[in-house]
Amino acid sequence: MKLSVYNWLCVLMLVMLTLSGCLKDKSNKDIIPINVLSISDTTAVDAVLQFDTLTVRPDIKEAVPSDKDGLVYEWSIHQNDSEDAYPVYILDSTRYLHQAIRVKPGIYRLIYKVTVKASGVSYFKFFNLKVINRFSEGWLVMEDVAGKTDMSIILNTDTSFHHIFTELNKDYVLNAPVQVATTNFYGAKSVWMFGADNAIELEYTEMTKLTDYTSWFWETPPVFHPQKFRQIDDGTNIMINDGLLNVRVAGGFPGDVKYMNTLPFPGGKGDNYYFSSYVGVGPQPYTGEKTPYSAIFFDTKSKGFVYLSGASLIPSLVAFSAPEPGSYFDMRNIGMDLLAMDQGNAPFLNNAIFKDNSNYYLYQIDGNRSDPTVGKKLITGDAPELAAFTKMTSSKKLQQIYFLVNGNIYLYDIPSGKARAIKAIAAGEQVTYFQCTGDDVMVGTWNGTEGKLYRYRISPLGDFQNVKVFTGFGKIVSMTYKAA
């Protein structure tokens, strides 16, 4: 068979390629030695408290030593015990780990990734890590940080941790903080955070968002401006929203538990009322106490009090009865502006401060007496300096009230009607929070850049005997104690 010139050329090229494939390549210029890594560690721990600093110093052995920039590091963490997808958090990009662990409690996998820059090959070391809840008990401190809500906690060891709300709820923003509160309904505990136009429920242990206010009502209010939230008995929450009252009753009933629609004002006035944010609490219903005054509210329109009755069954707002002979005042018709009200030195005693022109009065109201009026006093008669007060809080053990006046804290003795300055606020600091807790008076201040909390310990006579100062806050707005 004759082959064409073209066929001969093809055969010749095939032979040449075959021969060239059999030649030994003596060049090694492009060969890069592979750097194989071996990672070991004896420094990692199995468990760490939330927000504690975790230090891990692994040992890396290299087959081919690299320069200081030859390896790229990454530390990350993700939750192992979550049924739902849980994000991976990048902790650091350093050779060794030395970082605070700011995640919710749970079982995690800590991942150490080392990449050889020259080859792009990555090596991994995995660690099991249990993150333990350290925020089981302490003071929750709600703060305004540039118009946004954050929260700190002060543990019983006096150790404080900041930014726990934003660290544990990275994808949620709550504007303009108003109040933080806790509840315990027959063992079911929650933390509640209220902003100027929003509110959320936090899981009690993990401090992460569970629900928001849109799921709390049978009919979501068209306007939501929460002023005051309070648990008034084992199964009842009350909320003053834009001046109107909503009640949530829990316990003993099947089905969902939600806030009822706005309660109407007695006398057929419907929603023609506007409650102040101060609430006086009376005895729980059906406990054998003397009155049905579960909670006491002041209407800024009629300038009188009404009370909540039947709170644990069918709540309703009820007008107080006409004053009895010997009553100090008419609960239905105070006729003055309410400036402040706080629980006094007995469980159902409330100290209310009213203003009438230039006069300031103390009205004392006992929610466990059929005639709740137990005292009336002209404060500015013997203590005219208190006329300029901006905040007040009542002693929980003595017949005394603490007033904030022009940068000074005054102690007012109710029986004598006398007042005296006992503490000056530091220059340049504005008081944003002021509350007596029983043994202490908590004073939150703001200097324009930092918030501070002063915890004044109260002496047996009501004076301040020592102080503990906590720093590093935003503008302190509200506090509540979170029990274990």
Side-chain angles (χ1 to χ4, degrees):
M1 180 177 66
K2 294 182 178 181
L3 298 175
S4 66
V5 174
Y6 175 76
N7 290 335
W8 278 111
L9 289 173
C10 290
V11 171
L12 180 60
M13 290 179 66
L14 180 61
V15 171
M16 291 175 67
L17 288 171
T18 302
L19 291 174
S20 69
C22 295
L23 295 176
K24 183 177 181 180
D25 183 4
K26 298 180 181 180
S27 172
N28 62 1
K29 293 181 179 179
D30 296 326
I31 295 176
I32 301 175
I34 297 177
N35 189 5
V36 179
L37 306 184
S38 173
I39 305 174
S40 60
D41 179 77
T42 59
T43 65
V45 295
D46 295 328
V48 64
L49 284 169
Q50 265 182 304
F51 286 69
D52 263 3
T53 297
L54 177 64
T55 300
V56 187
R57 300 175 63 86
D59 180 60
I60 300 176
K61 288 184 169 50
E62 302 181 67
V64 180
S66 59
D67 59 32
K68 65 177 183 178
D69 297 322
L71 303 179
V72 179
Y73 309 100
E74 180 183 277
W75 291 93
S76 61
I77 189 171
H78 75 93
Q79 194 166 3
N80 263 356
D81 60 346
S82 176
E83 296 180 358
D84 302 322
Y86 195 79
V88 174
Y89 291 121
I90 305 300
L91 298 176
D92 212 339
S93 58
T94 54
R95 170 74 170 80
Y96 302 122
L97 180 66
H98 185 73
Q99 284 289 331
I101 303 303
R102 301 174 179 271
V103 295
K104 67 181 184 178
I107 305 299
Y108 288 83
R109 172 166 286 190
L110 179 66
I111 305 169
Y112 184 41
K113 175 183 175 182
V114 183
T115 302
V116 180
K117 189 181 293 187
S119 65
V121 177
S122 296
Y123 297 83
F124 295 85
K125 178 71 174 175
F126 300 96
F127 306 85
N128 291 323
L129 181 67
K130 182 179 182 181
V131 179
I132 302 170
N133 175 34
R134 79 172 313 144
F135 304 140
S136 61
E137 188 169 8
W139 283 99
L140 299 178
V141 183
M142 178 182 257
E143 309 150 71
D144 185 323
V145 180
K148 308 296 183 184
T149 299
D150 210 340
M151 189 161 62
S152 301
I153 189 169
I154 302 173
L155 305 181
N156 292 338
T157 58
D158 285 346
T159 305
S160 57
F161 292 88
H162 299 289
H163 310 299
I164 63 172
F165 174 70
T166 51
E167 290 286 354
L168 298 175
N169 299 271
K170 297 178 184 294
D171 298 326
Y172 192 82
V173 175
L174 187 66
N175 292 324
V178 173
Q179 183 188 0
V180 61
T182 60
T183 57
N184 183 352
F185 289 114
Y186 306 106
K189 300 177 181 179
S190 291
V191 176
W192 309 87
M193 298 182 69
F194 295 85
D197 57 5
N198 202 348
I200 59 173
E201 175 192 11
L202 300 183
E203 201 281 329
Y204 196 79
T205 300
E206 297 181 352
M207 303 291 284
T208 52
K209 177 179 175 285
L210 286 178
T211 64
D212 68 28
Y213 80 97
T214 59
S215 64
W216 301 351
F217 296 83
W218 292 114
E219 294 182 13
T220 304
V223 176
F224 190 71
H225 294 312
Q227 298 164 252
K228 187 69 174 183
F229 168 90
R230 190 159 180 176
Q231 180 178 358
I232 62 171
D233 61 45
D234 290 341
T236 308
N237 279 353
I238 61 98
M239 186 191 307
I240 301 175
N241 171 42
D242 200 33
L244 305 178
L245 182 66
N246 296 93
V247 179
R248 177 185 182 271
V249 179
F253 305 99
D256 293 336
V257 177
K258 297 189 178 186
Y259 282 94
M260 303 173 181
N261 292 346
T262 297
L263 294 190
F265 199 81
K269 291 186 178 181
D271 61 0
N272 184 24
Y273 66 96
Y274 196 97
F275 284 162
S276 79
S277 59
Y278 300 105
V279 179
V281 174
Q284 296 188 31
Y286 317 118
T287 56
E289 298 291 352
K290 300 176 183 177
T291 75
Y293 310 146
S294 301
I296 299 171
F297 306 92
F298 184 78
D299 176 30
T300 60
K301 289 187 175 182
S302 64
K303 297 189 185 302
F305 287 99
V306 295
Y307 68 91
L308 181 69
S309 180
S312 66
L313 190 59
I314 304 176
S316 61
L317 289 174
V318 182
F320 280 95
S321 301
E324 301 175 5
S327 295
Y328 285 92
F329 48 88
D330 186 349
M331 291 288 289
R332 304 166 303 169
N333 183 23
I334 302 297
M336 294 183 288
D337 295 326
L338 176 64
L339 302 183
M341 186 166 71
D342 191 30
Q343 179 188 324
N345 64 318
F348 308 122
L349 179 66
N350 299 278
N351 292 324
I353 310 298
F354 291 95
K355 180 182 179 181
D356 181 21
N357 296 319
S358 60
N359 294 320
Y360 290 69
Y361 292 89
L362 167 65
Y363 282 29
Q364 292 191 290
I365 302 165
D366 189 337
N368 196 31
R369 286 168 47 105
S370 58
D371 176 8
T373 69
V374 295
K376 175 182 176 181
K377 184 182 288 286
L378 175 62
I379 294 176
T380 47
D382 292 325
E385 62 272 32
L386 300 184
F389 91 92
T390 52
K391 295 182 184 295
M392 65 80 78
T393 183
S394 298
S395 170
K396 304 301 180 281
K397 296 182 177 182
L398 302 171
Q399 277 273 64
Q400 295 175 338
I401 301 175
Y402 298 94
F403 286 91
L404 179 69
V405 185
N406 294 327
N408 292 286
I409 298 175
Y410 281 78
L411 178 60
Y412 175 73
D413 181 71
I414 296 174
S416 70
K418 303 295 185 181
R420 55 190 173 87
I422 60 171
K423 181 61 63 175
I425 303 300
E429 296 185 14
Q430 170 195 0
V431 175
T432 61
Y433 180 81
F434 192 58
Q435 185 62 50
C436 178
T437 64
D439 293 327
D440 306 296
V441 172
M442 301 289 203
V443 181
T445 69
W446 174 250
N447 63 12
T449 57
E450 181 192 29
K452 296 180 181 179
L453 180 68
Y454 297 83
R455 187 183 67 200
Y456 293 103
R457 182 55 51 90
I458 301 172
S459 75
L461 297 179
D463 294 280
F464 295 162
Q465 54 187 8
N466 57 55
V467 63
K468 172 73 176 179
V469 184
F470 303 89
T471 60
F473 299 93
K475 185 183 295 185
I476 298 172
V477 174
S478 175
M479 291 178 60
T480 192
Y481 192 77
K482 179 179 183 286

